[in-house]
Amino acid sequence: MTLELSHLHRRYAGFAALDDVSLRIEPGEFLALLGPSGSGKTTLLRILAGLDYPDSGSVRQNDRDLLAVDARQRKVGLVFQHYALFRHLTVSENVAFGLRIRPRKSRPSRAEINERVERLLKRVQLDDLGKRYTSQLSGGQRQRVALARALAVEPDLLLLDEPFGALDAQVRVALRRWLRNLHEELGLTSVFVTHDQEEALELADRVAVMNRGRIEQIGTPEAIYQQPATPFVCEFIGKNNRIPLQRANGVLTGGQRQLGADPWPGNAVGSAIGYVRPEHLLVSSAPSQGGWAAQLRHIYLAGGVAHLELDVPALGQVLEADMSSDEVAQRGLQPGQALVVQPRLITAFPLNAQGEADAAARHVLQPQAAP
Amino acid sequence: MSGQHASRPLSWRHRLLRGTLIALVMALMAVLVLLPLAAVFIEALSKGAAAFMDVLAQPETVSAIKLTLLVAVLAVPSNLVFGVAAAWAMTRFEFRGKALLGAFIDLPFSVSPVVAGLVYVLLFGAQGWFGPWLTDHGVTIIFAVPGLVLATVFITLPFVARELISLMQAQGSEEEEAARTLGASGWQMFFRVTLPNIRWALLYGVLLCNARAMGEFGAVSVVSGHIRGLTTTMPLEVEMRYNEYDYMGAFAVASLLGLLALLTLVVKALLEWRYGDELAARATRGH
């Protein structure tokens, strides 16, 4: 089942929740909508579920106009952020709800419903809790009841709103892996909303990064992380050092060091912004071309990885560089030490006269290529 | 709170203040509430149980009881339906004039019942705006049962609606949305999800609404016309007997209203004790 969303607009009093969103959801894929709060991701999910409607634009499902279909006929399973379980029903009754309310013609027999509920509860590992009320369950258990309830009606599309948002960290990671396995078993097209990039990058086949009602970038988790397409994605996904760059006479410089040829010839003079990931900063003790003199301010040891805080006077800012904790120990790095840092990979965007970055003119530099 | 205070020794001034306040409230309650209530029953039975039963068996009393029940049977369900509809509109939709609707729902609590009764006389009375037209079409509202029902509906309008609005606000609409995505029709959603979630608050509202509907005096008095055996409800019957110096009879009828009040109190306390969390709009959500 392919879903084709085109040019969706949705305005709420005063602000645009969706601003010209187009998106194609492939059959069987696990898609994450990732963005900060207010980026429009939940609105998009609710439109897919039929609980909200766009002001303009279309949603087509295999050449069928999905927006013309009422929520109750869409065959979409929705798992709410706070689960929205029916508090007056038991776990089993919650799961059976979608089957029991069917008109008599299409309703399975009582025995069939019971059997299906049992099978689903087994699948979500709650087979001995069917008679409990949902208020007697933990967060992770409620989440799985909500999932079983949504799956009971055999939806074509599964939607999850912040599926792990209300859980504590340990349960979250376990449930995440479990959900990924379940998705692979069922092969059901699934879309989930999250503000947690780790969750999105680990779980999804593809990630759509949203900001202010627009999709900034859509791609595989690797592409999103390795080739961020816009300044927003650079700043939102992972850590990035933001470095001001200058363009003059066909040369791009940063912190008085030449980084390479100006990738945007045409306008002779101007400025640009560059993003360098901590793992793409080469830290050495010997001065080398293209490197900035730096002073090691602090070493944060986080298990196998060490984060180095480096004061770079040429840039007037502090950069963060990552290296393995072993390497820090081998080289005997100490706070206060004088070092040289060199960017190996810079994602750069030219700035216009108003200081706005031009995402379309994105350029990736690899300064270490120069000897 | 009380537990914390008990564990900390209180100074004698504190203890004195606390004791005085409690005694004061207790004494006030005794004088203002318990004593009159006891007086009603004592006076009602002052000439013996036989005389008491005799008053209750009189046709005027029987007719007043029947009329009171009839008015309640008509007014309470209409307010139940209105209350649910109003609460639904107030908590599930966004629309212009929502604040105004909320204010109007509360209006009967702030308007004097006598004024409410007079307004109905002005509108539907023989000399009223719509009176002549209604008379031409053979409809009598004022000094008849329809007027009593209208006035009672107006007076008891806020009870159910107010109780539900705060609860439904707190519960939110997610469960209803979940029901819709699972394929429920509007009625299925209402009867299988909304109603079970609000049932105890609804019952609570209906209980208070009923107590007021049966006990209402002011508005009903204006539109009734005091036609004995036809348009006198129990509170009006009490007044008429009292004005005719039939004190024992007045208190006998009043004791029935007193019993209703006690019964309401007991059921109300039971509801609050058993389903307090569902009434107090403390909706438990998966946070």
Side-chain angles (χ1 to χ4, degrees):
Chain A
M1 188 205 63
T2 309
L3 271 175
E4 188 87 54
L5 288 65
S6 41
H7 305 294
L8 293 176
H9 290 264
R10 180 75 174 97
R11 286 192 74 82
Y12 294 120
F15 89 106
L18 292 181
D19 181 12
D20 198 25
V21 168
S22 295
L23 175 64
R24 201 180 144 88
I25 303 171
E26 303 293 341
E29 87 167 321
F30 204 179
L31 177 77
L33 301 175
L34 172 65
S37 60
S39 60
K41 53 195 197 303
T42 299
T43 304
L44 190 56
L45 198 77
R46 289 176 62 84
I47 286 175
L48 288 176
L51 297 174
D52 200 347
Y53 285 86
D55 301 325
S56 63
S58 71
V59 180
R60 307 197 68 82
Q61 174 190 33
N62 299 340
D63 296 323
R64 175 170 82 129
D65 181 8
L66 199 66
L67 293 178
V69 182
D70 187 73
R72 54 185 293 236
Q73 266 122 25
R74 278 199 193 182
K75 298 202 70 176
V76 166
L78 175 56
V79 177
F80 287 80
Q81 183 176 6
H82 300 296
Y83 321 130
L85 296 174
F86 305 127
R87 64 196 94 188
H88 63 287
L89 300 179
T90 64
V91 168
S92 295
E93 288 166 341
N94 261 282
V95 178
F97 185 91
L99 299 171
R100 287 198 179 148
I101 56 168
R102 284 192 186 166
R104 193 158 297 158
K105 304 198 291 288
S106 55
R107 192 196 310 153
S109 73
R110 189 172 297 210
E112 240 172 288
I113 291 178
N114 289 343
E115 193 200 293
R116 210 195 284 188
V117 168
E118 251 170 61
R119 214 170 46 227
L120 276 162
L121 286 181
K122 200 166 277 174
R123 164 147 264 159
V124 299
Q125 297 157 15
L126 291 172
D127 32 340
D128 46 350
L129 297 180
K131 295 207 161 47
R132 295 263 187 101
Y133 281 91
T134 54
S135 57
Q136 299 165 296
L137 302 181
S138 71
Q141 288 169 334
R142 286 180 201 190
Q143 222 266 356
R144 284 178 281 153
V145 175
L147 193 62
R149 182 179 70 176
L151 292 175
V153 295
E154 293 175 332
D156 296 334
L157 175 66
L158 182 65
L159 305 173
L160 304 122
D161 188 5
E162 297 276 2
F164 313 103
L167 302 172
D168 46 44
Q170 249 178 337
V171 183
R172 196 181 296 190
V173 173
L175 208 56
R176 206 192 277 170
R177 304 257 155 93
W178 176 84
L179 188 66
R180 177 71 226 185
N181 288 338
L182 187 78
H183 172 78
E184 269 153 29
E185 274 175 52
L186 297 173
L188 187 62
T189 312
S190 311
V191 178
F192 76 103
V193 155
T194 182
H195 65 271
D196 183 339
Q197 49 173 297
E198 203 186 309
E199 214 165 273
L201 297 177
E202 185 180 318
L203 260 177
D205 297 324
R206 282 199 308 156
V207 178
V209 182
M210 296 190 69
N211 180 38
R212 293 189 190 166
R214 292 178 151 273
I215 293 183
E216 294 265 339
Q217 186 177 3
I218 179 156
T220 62
E222 296 76 33
I224 297 282
Y225 188 82
Q226 305 291 355
Q227 297 136 34
T230 69
F232 174 81
V233 179
C234 287
E235 287 177 27
F236 188 67
I237 303 288
K239 276 188 197 159
N240 248 322
N241 293 295
R242 191 176 195 269
I243 298 169
L245 305 174
Q246 294 79 38
R247 298 159 48 210
N249 310 321
V251 178
L252 191 66
T253 55
Q256 288 123 45
R257 293 277 172 177
Q258 291 195 4
L259 298 168
D262 184 357
W264 309 287
N267 287 359
V269 181
S271 53
I273 191 84
Y275 293 95
V276 185
R277 291 214 179 274
E279 65 265 33
H280 294 150
L281 272 176
L282 198 67
V283 179
S284 54
S285 312
S288 64
Q289 196 187 359
W292 295 301
Q295 193 191 22
L296 182 54
R297 286 234 303 230
H298 201 95
I299 303 172
Y300 296 97
L301 283 173
V305 183
H307 308 296
L308 311 185
E309 210 178 78
L310 298 152
D311 191 7
V312 180
L315 290 167
Q317 72 185 84
V318 173
L319 298 183
E320 191 176 314
D322 285 358
M323 66 170 66
S324 74
S325 300
D326 289 348
E327 198 182 338
V328 172
Q330 267 172 23
R331 292 167 58 174
L333 294 179
Q334 294 292 332
Q337 208 169 331
L339 295 167
V340 171
V341 280
Q342 190 180 6
R344 290 195 290 116
L345 195 75
I346 307 176
T347 307
F349 303 91
L351 299 178
N352 64 14
Q354 285 80 45
E356 292 160 347
D358 180 5
R362 167 184 176 274
H363 192 87
V364 178
L365 294 125
Q366 290 178 297
Q368 96 282 16
Chain B
M1 281 302 276
S2 60
Q4 286 174 8
H5 280 265
S7 62
R8 182 153 42 96
L10 291 173
S11 70
W12 66 270
R13 285 155 137 275
H14 263 108
R15 248 179 287 173
L16 187 69
L17 180 69
R18 195 172 70 164
T20 315
L21 268 176
I22 292 173
L24 194 71
V25 172
M26 289 293 201
L28 268 173
M29 283 295 287
V31 172
L32 292 178
V33 180
L34 283 179
L35 198 63
L37 193 65
V40 167
F41 290 104
I42 290 167
E43 191 65 29
L45 293 165
S46 59
K47 291 180 184 163
F52 175 77
M53 293 311 292
D54 193 44
V55 170
L56 296 193
Q58 284 168 11
E60 301 87 44
T61 317
V62 174
S63 132
I65 294 172
K66 278 187 183 164
L67 185 62
T68 302
L69 291 177
L70 177 70
V71 168
V73 157
L74 292 173
V76 173
S78 9
N79 271 335
L80 187 152
V81 172
F82 170 80
V84 172
W88 189 281
M90 290 286 292
T91 58
R92 298 294 183 259
F93 302 130
E94 287 303 322
F95 54 92
R96 255 170 211 277
K98 190 166 153 174
L100 201 65
L101 177 66
F104 273 121
I105 289 173
D106 284 345
L107 185 71
F109 274 176
S110 47
V111 165
S112 163
V114 176
V115 175
L118 281 174
V119 168
Y120 281 109
V121 173
L122 177 72
L123 287 179
F124 304 120
Q127 272 75 48
W129 293 3
F130 307 114
W133 185 87
L134 288 167
T135 316
D136 290 347
H137 290 77
V139 180
T140 324
I141 290 180
I142 299 305
F143 305 148
V145 176
L148 296 175
V149 175
L150 269 181
T152 308
V153 166
F154 177 85
I155 292 301
T156 57
L157 190 84
F159 285 102
V160 176
R162 275 171 67 118
E163 197 63 40
L164 292 185
I165 286 170
S166 59
L167 180 73
M168 286 171 71
Q169 203 114 50
Q171 285 186 342
S173 53
E174 275 201 347
E175 284 182 48
E176 284 145 12
E177 290 180 341
R180 272 177 66 199
T181 61
L182 290 167
S185 68
W187 289 116
Q188 282 176 323
M189 177 178 83
F190 178 74
F191 282 109
R192 286 171 178 262
V193 177
T194 312
L195 201 55
N197 279 343
I198 62 170
R199 58 193 160 180
W200 299 117
L202 189 62
L203 191 60
Y204 190 85
V206 162
L207 188 76
L208 297 183
C209 179
N210 181 61
R212 184 63 192 269
M214 290 187 172
E216 172 57 21
F217 177 81
V220 165
S221 170
V222 177
V223 296
S224 149
H226 297 80
I227 309 164
R228 243 210 173 132
L230 280 180
T231 64
T232 41
T233 58
M234 283 159 72
L236 300 179
E237 179 72 19
V238 172
E239 191 212 16
M240 287 171 80
R241 282 179 186 267
Y242 184 82
N243 288 344
E244 291 158 6
Y245 304 103
D246 176 10
Y247 294 143
M248 186 255 147
F251 280 109
V253 180
S255 71
L256 291 183
L257 287 170
L259 280 178
L260 171 76
L262 288 176
L263 184 73
T264 304
L265 204 65
V266 169
V267 180
K268 182 170 166 281
L270 274 177
L271 275 176
E272 279 169 1
W273 167 69
R274 179 70 182 79
Y275 302 105
D277 51 340
E278 286 177 55
L279 295 173
R282 269 195 288 114
T284 46
R285 309 181 72 178
H287 287 281

